[in-house]
C-alpha cells in the first residue's frame, strides 16, 4: 500500500505540501495585484473555476486534472473564489507589510466592511486579528457564496484561510 | 429548535396548526412532517422495540427504515418521517408491533384508480426527474411517483454547490438544482406527478407493466405503462456498536432533512461517524446551522471524501480523527455521550485510547446501499457489487435490467453522486423512449453524449472503482469476487 499523504490523514494541507502540487506565485507577482491560488491538490471531477475564468488563466485538460493557474494571465477578479464548489480558491495580494486574503465565507454572521475579525488557520486555530476590507454579499457573488477580503499580517498570508466573527449581543 | 436565520437557506413555513402527542398539544406548521414537528418540540422517542422495550427515534427520515413508525389517528405503522402534519392529528408512540384497527375497511382492489402512461418512473430524485424530462421531450407520456411530499429526492437538502462541469449544474447548490428540475418537469404537459405515493410492486400484465402504489397511506392506484424506470435511491447504512438504536443516533441524511429541508436543529452537539463526502458535508452544514460539531471519526487511515470538503471543516476547527471508531453510545432515553477509540492496524480498538464526547446527536455517515427492493420483486437479476456499495440490478449500457422494459438509474443502480444520477436518469429516460419506438433516432446521439459525460466524470481516481463495479454489473460483465 502506498504511503498516505499527510493532507489526507489530517484533512488539511500545509503550504509546503501544497507547493508540491501547485507552484506558488513569486513575491513580485504577489505584490503586483491579487492572484488566485487553489488549495486543491486532489483529482476530483470538477471544472467551474476553469469555465468561469475570463482570461483562460486556469489550465485543466480534463475536469479530473488539478487547476493550475497561469499567474501572469490571472487578473485577480475573484470569480473562481466565488464559484468554486469546494470553497478551495483564495486570492493573495501583498501590500506593504500586510497581505490581503480573499476568501469564501458562507457562515453567519457575515462581517461588515471595516470590522475586525479573528483570523483562523487551516486547522481552525486563531492566529491573530485582521480587518475586513471588502465584503461581496451572496447576491452579488457569481456562485452564491459571499466573499471577503481580509487584511492580515504578511507573515500569516499562507496560513489564514477563514475568519471568525465575534459579536457581543 | 426551529432555525430562522441561515447563511444559504430561507425557510418558508406554512400555516400554524396543532397536533397532539399523547394528548398534549404541539405547535406545527403545514408542510412539515410529523417527525419534524415532534423533533422541534424536543420529542425524540417515537416508539419502542417489541421485546426489550427499547426506545427508538428517527433514523433515516426519508421513509426507508421503520424507526419512526407511530400510531396516527389510531392507525399504526405510519411512517411519521414522510407523513405531513394535519391540524388536530392525534399521535401516539408505537409499542412494538401494533394492532391494526379492527373496524377499518381496507379499499377493495377492484376499486383502484388506474393511471396510464408510456413510461412509469418510480422516484422523483435527480435520476427520476432527469429521466422524466428526457423521456417526455423524446415524446413519451410519463407518470412520475414519489413517496415523499416533495420532488427532488435528496437534492432538497443539499446546500453545497455541486462539482463537475457547469452544464451539469456544477457550482449550483443542490437545493437550487431540485427547484430547476422540478420546474422543468412541471412545465411538461406529458408528465403527471404523484407525490406521497409509494410503489409497492411491479408486475407484468400482458403487454403492460403494472405498478401498484398507495397514495397517502389510503388510496390504492394502479399505474400502467409500457416501461418502468426505477430510481428509488438509496438507504443509509448502519454499523454495529453498543446502543446504536438510541434516539439521537441518525443517519446523516436524516439530520440534513431536519435541518436543511425543515429548518429544525437536530441538537446542540454532534459527533459524526464517517469522513466520506456525506460526513464532511454534513459537518459543514451543521456549523452553518449553528450546531457544534465535536469531531468526525473515521475508521480508515485517511479522509475518504474529497479533500476540499475536509479542509472546509478543518479550518473551522473540527477535528477529523482518522483510524478511530465509535465504541458505544450512552444515555437513558436518548444520546448523552459517545465513546470512541483508536484502531490498530487490524481495525481493532486499542484499549486505553477511549475518548468520551458529550453530545446529544450521533450522525452515522458510514455509507449508503442501493434501494433495490422493487427491482428484486420484479424479478430483475441482482448481483452483489462491492464497488457499487451493495446488491444492484444487472443492466446493459442503456440502463435496462434483465427484465425487458424495466430500467434503473441513480443510486438504486449503484451508489455514486447526484451528478451521475442525473446523467443515468437522462440515459434511462431516453433509452426507455427509444426502446418503445417513441423517440426518433436523433435521441440516440443525445444518449451517447450523456454516456460520454458519465465516463468523463468517472475517469478520475474517485470514479475508477465505480467503473470497475459497473463492469461487474453489466449484463455478461465480469464476475464478482
Amino acid at each position: 500500500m502506498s504511503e498516505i499523504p499527510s493532507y489526507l490523514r489530517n484533512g488539511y494541507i500545509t503550504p509546503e505540501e501544497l507547493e508540491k502540487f501547485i507552484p506558488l506565485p513569486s513575491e513580485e507577482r504577489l505584490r503586483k495585484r491579487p492572484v488566485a491560488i487553489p488549495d486543491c491538490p486532489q483529482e476530483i471531477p470538477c471544472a467551474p473555476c476553469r469555465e468561469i475564468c475570463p482570461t483562460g488563466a486556469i489550465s485543466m485538460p480534463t475536469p479530473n486534472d488539478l487547476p493550475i493557474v497561469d499567474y501572469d494571465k490571472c487578473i485577480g477578479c475573484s470569480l473562481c473564489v466565488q464559484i468554486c464548489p469546494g470553497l478551495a480558491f483564495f486570492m493573495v495580494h501583498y501590500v506593504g507589510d500586510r497581505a490581503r486574503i480573499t476568501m469564501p465565507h458562507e457562515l453567519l454572521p457575515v462581517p461588515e466592511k471595516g470590522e475586525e475579525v479573528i483570523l483562523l488557520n487551516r486547522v481552525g486555530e486563531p492566529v491573530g486579528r485582521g480587518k475586513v476590507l471588502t465584503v461581496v454579499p451572496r447576491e452579488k457573488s457569481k456562485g452564491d457564496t459571499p466573499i471577503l477580503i481580509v487584511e492580515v499580517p504578511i507573515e500569516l498570508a499562507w496560513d489564514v484561510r477563514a475568519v471568525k466573527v465575534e459579536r457581543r449581543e | 429548535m426551529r432555525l430562522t436565520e441561515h447563511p444559504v437557506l430561507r425557510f418558508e413555513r406554512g400555516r400554524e396548526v396543532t397536533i397532539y402527542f399523547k394528548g398534549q398539544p404541539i405547535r406545527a406548521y403545514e408542510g412539515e412532517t410529523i417527525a419534524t414537528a415532534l423533533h422541534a418540540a424536543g420529542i425524540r422517542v417515537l416508539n419502542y422495540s417489541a421485546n426489550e422495550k427499547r426506545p427508538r427515534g428517527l433514523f433515516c427520515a426519508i421513509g426507508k427504515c421503520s424507526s419512526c413508525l407511530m400510531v396516527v389517528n389510531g392507525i399504526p405503522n405510519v411512517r411519521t418521517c414522510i407523513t405531513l402534519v394535519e391540524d388536530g392529528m392525534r399521535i401516539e408512540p408505537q409499542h412494538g408491533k401494533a394492532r391494526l384497527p379492527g373496524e377499518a375497511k381496507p379499499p377493495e382492489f377492484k376499486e383502484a384508480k388506474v393511471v396510464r402512461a408510456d413510461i412509469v418512473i418510480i422516484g422523483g430524485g435527480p435520476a427520476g426527474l432527469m429521466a422524466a424530462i428526457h423521456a417526455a421531450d423524446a415524446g413519451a407520456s410519463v407518470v412520475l411517483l414519489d413517496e415523499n411530499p416533495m420532488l427532488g429526492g435528496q437534492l432538497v437538502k443539499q446546500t453545497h454547490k455541486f462539482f463537475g462541469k457547469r452544464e451539469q449544474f456544477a457550482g449550483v447548490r443542490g437545493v437550487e438544482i431540485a427547484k430547476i428540475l422540478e420546474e422543468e418537469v412541471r412545465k411538461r404537459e406529458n408528465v403527471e406527478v404523484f407525490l406521497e405515493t409509494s410503489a409497492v410492486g411491479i408486475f407484468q400484465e400482458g403487454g403492460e407493466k403494472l405498478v401498484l402504489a398507495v397514495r397517502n397511506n389510503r388510496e390504492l392506484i394502479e399505474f400502467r405503462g409500457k416501461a418502468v424506470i426505477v430510481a428509488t435511491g438509496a438507504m443509509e447504512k448502519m454499523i454495529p456498536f453498543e446502543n446504536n438504536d438510541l434516539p439521537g443516533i441518525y443517519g446523516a441524511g436524516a439530520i440534513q432533512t431536519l435541518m436543511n429541508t425543515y429548518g429544525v436543529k437536530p441538537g446542540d452537539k454532534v459527533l459524526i461517524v464517517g469522513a466520506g463526502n456525506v460526513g464532511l458535508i454534513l459537518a459543514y452544514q451543521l456549523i452553518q446551522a449553528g450546531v457544534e460539531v465535536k469531531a468526525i471519526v473515521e475508521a480508515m487511515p485517511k479522509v475518504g471524501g474529497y479533500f476540499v470538503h475536509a479542509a472546509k471543516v478543518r479550518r473551522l476547527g473540527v477535528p477529523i480523527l482518522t483510524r478511530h471508531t465509535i465504541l458505544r453510545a450512552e444515555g437513558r432515553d436518548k444520546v448523552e455521550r459517545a465513546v470512541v477509540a483508536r484502531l490498530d492496524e487490524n481495525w481493532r480498538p486499542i484499549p486505553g485510547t477511549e475518548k468520551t464526547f458529550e453530545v446529544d446527536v450521533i450522525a452515522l455517515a458510514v455509507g449508503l446501499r442501493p434501494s433495490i427492493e422493487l427491482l428484486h420483486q420484479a424479478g430483475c437479476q441482482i448481483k452483489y457489487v462491492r464497488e457499487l456499495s451493495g446488491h444492484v440490478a444487472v443492466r446493459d449500457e442503456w440502463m435496462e435490467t434483465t427484465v425487458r422494459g424495466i430500467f434503473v438509474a441513480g443510486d438504486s443502480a449503484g451508489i455514486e453522486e447526484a451528478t451521475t444520477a442525473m446523467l443515468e436518469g437522462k440515459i434511462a429516460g431516453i433509452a426507455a423512449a427509444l426502446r418503445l419506438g417513441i423517440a426518433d433516432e436523433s435521441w440516440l446521439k443525445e444518449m451517447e453524449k450523456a454516456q460520454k459525460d458519465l465516463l468523463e466524470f468517472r475517469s478520475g481516481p474517485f470514479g475508477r472503482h465505480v467503473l470497475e463495479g459497473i463492469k461487474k454489473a453489466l449484463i455478461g460483465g465480469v464476475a464478482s469476487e
Side-chain angles (χ1 to χ4, degrees), chain B residues 198-473:
Chain B
S198 305
V200 294
I202 304 173
F203 305 92
Q204 185 76 33
E205 263 198 10
E208 272 185 335
K209 299 261 183 276
L210 164 64
V211 176
L212 274 185
V214 179
R215 179 158 68 174
N216 282 328
N217 295 327
R218 293 180 198 106
E219 184 194 0
L220 192 63
I221 307 180
E222 290 181 26
F223 292 98
R224 290 176 176 272
K226 297 184 208 94
V228 175
I229 299 173
V230 177
T232 46
M235 152 122 197
E236 207 97 44
K237 280 183 182 167
M238 167 54 83
I239 50 168
F241 60 91
E242 200 178 322
N243 286 333
N244 69 358
D245 60 342
L246 260 188
I249 299 173
Y250 307 89
I255 295 175
Q256 292 182 309
T257 297
L258 281 173
M259 176 170 79
N260 297 346
T261 306
Y262 297 108
V264 170
K265 268 193 187 189
D268 295 318
K269 291 171 190 154
V270 180
L271 176 85
I272 297 175
V273 182
N277 273 338
V278 174
L280 297 169
I281 289 170
L282 177 71
Y284 188 70
Q285 296 176 347
L286 282 161
I287 296 168
Q288 287 182 310
V291 179
E292 190 183 347
V293 181
K294 289 285 188 184
I296 303 173
V297 297
E298 167 59 57
M300 302 256 291
K302 64 170 185 175
V303 165
Y306 293 165
F307 165 74
V308 291
H309 285 313
K312 252 165 45 179
V313 295
R314 279 306 267 129
R315 65 180 181 248
L316 299 176
V318 177
I320 300 174
L321 309 173
T322 48
R323 271 201 196 289
H324 276 71
T325 194
I326 182 163
L327 290 183
R328 65 178 174 275
E330 292 178 353
R332 253 184 83 78
D333 279 341
K334 57 184 181 192
V335 171
E336 288 162 35
R337 283 170 303 280
V339 181
V340 308
R342 247 180 66 206
L343 293 172
D344 67 16
E345 301 284 319
N346 299 312
W347 306 82
R348 279 187 301 242
I350 304 171
T353 62
E354 294 85 0
K355 259 194 281 276
T356 301
F357 290 97
E358 302 288 325
V359 291
D360 56 354
V361 173
I362 297 170
L364 298 183
V366 293
L368 303 166
R369 67 159 179 80
S371 291
I372 56 151
E373 294 79 3
L374 285 169
L375 294 156
H376 204 175
Q377 174 272 327
C380 303
Q381 189 191 331
I382 303 292
K383 194 171 182 180
Y384 179 78
V385 181
R386 180 174 50 85
E387 295 87 345
L388 301 178
S389 298
H391 288 85
V392 292
V394 172
R395 70 300 191 110
D396 63 13
E397 263 127 11
W398 287 30
M399 305 306 293
E400 189 168 14
T401 68
T402 53
V403 175
R404 192 128 175 128
I406 298 183
F407 296 76
V408 65
D411 271 357
S412 56
I415 304 304
E416 278 187 90
E417 303 260 335
T419 306
T420 51
M422 287 189 273
L423 288 167
E424 282 186 349
K426 182 176 170 182
I427 293 168
I430 297 172
L434 280 167
R435 190 68 91 212
L436 298 180
I438 295 166
D440 65 47
E441 259 183 39
S442 66
W443 283 95
L444 202 56
K445 232 187 204 161
E446 202 51 37
M447 185 171 72
E448 281 162 2
K449 185 183 178 301
Q451 288 169 325
K452 219 181 103 218
D453 288 343
L454 252 185
L455 190 63
E456 185 184 64
F457 194 93
R458 289 166 174 159
S459 66
F462 279 90
R464 253 171 237 150
H465 76 287
V466 170
L467 283 176
E468 287 304 307
I470 285 164
K471 274 190 219 158
K472 295 176 189 173

Side-chain angles (χ1 to χ4, degrees), chain A residues 63-137:
Chain A
N64 278 292
D65 288 302
L66 299 184
I68 302 297
V69 181
D70 180 336
Y71 299 126
D72 292 327
K73 278 193 193 164
C74 172
I75 54 170
C77 69
S78 88
L79 286 177
C80 52
V81 186
Q82 299 173 33
I83 195 83
C84 175
L87 308 189
F89 257 94
F90 299 86
M91 294 197 309
V92 181
H93 185 196
Y94 287 178
V95 181
D97 63 347
R98 306 251 124 188
R100 293 174 180 180
I101 314 295
T102 307
M103 62 177 76
H105 183 84
E106 284 187 339
L107 302 168
L108 290 180
V110 176
E112 276 163 29
K113 187 178 167 178
E115 190 168 344
E116 197 172 84
V117 291
I118 297 169
L119 305 173
L120 302 177
N121 65 12
R122 289 186 175 84
V123 199
E125 295 162 342
V127 289
R129 301 182 81 88
K131 200 167 108 184
V132 176
L133 300 180
T134 307
V135 179
V136 178

Side-chain angles (χ1 to χ4, degrees), chain B residues 52-175:
Chain B
E52 300 280 339
K53 315 280 179 227
R54 294 175 69 85
R56 296 268 165 81
L58 190 67
F59 179 71
C60 84
I62 51 168
K64 301 257 184 182
C65 74
S66 54
S67 209
C68 69
L69 299 185
M70 299 182 82
V71 182
V72 177
N73 293 338
I75 300 167
N77 298 334
V78 174
R79 290 180 290 176
T80 54
C81 73
I82 57 168
T83 305
L84 299 179
V85 295
E86 285 167 23
D87 203 18
M89 246 177 187
R90 289 169 291 111
I91 295 138
E92 304 287 336
Q94 188 166 318
H95 294 266
K97 282 183 189 161
R99 259 176 192 286
L100 291 166
E103 72 280 10
K105 188 175 159 287
E108 284 193 36
F109 184 74
K110 57 187 169 194
E111 295 166 4
K113 175 179 174 176
V114 178
V115 179
R116 276 203 162 78
D118 293 321
I119 302 172
V120 179
I121 301 175
I122 306 169
L129 289 169
M130 283 290 272
I133 291 166
H134 289 88
D137 286 354
S141 64
V142 174
V143 49
L144 175 68
L145 51 134
D146 194 294
E147 58 187 356
N148 284 281
M150 59 182 85
L151 282 175
Q154 309 316 301
L155 288 174
V156 301
K157 58 199 187 193
Q158 304 305 341
T159 55
H160 66 288
K161 299 191 276 189
F162 273 43
F163 291 71
K165 294 200 289 194
R166 294 188 78 200
E167 61 169 34
Q168 301 152 355
F169 300 110
V172 181
R173 298 185 192 284
V175 279

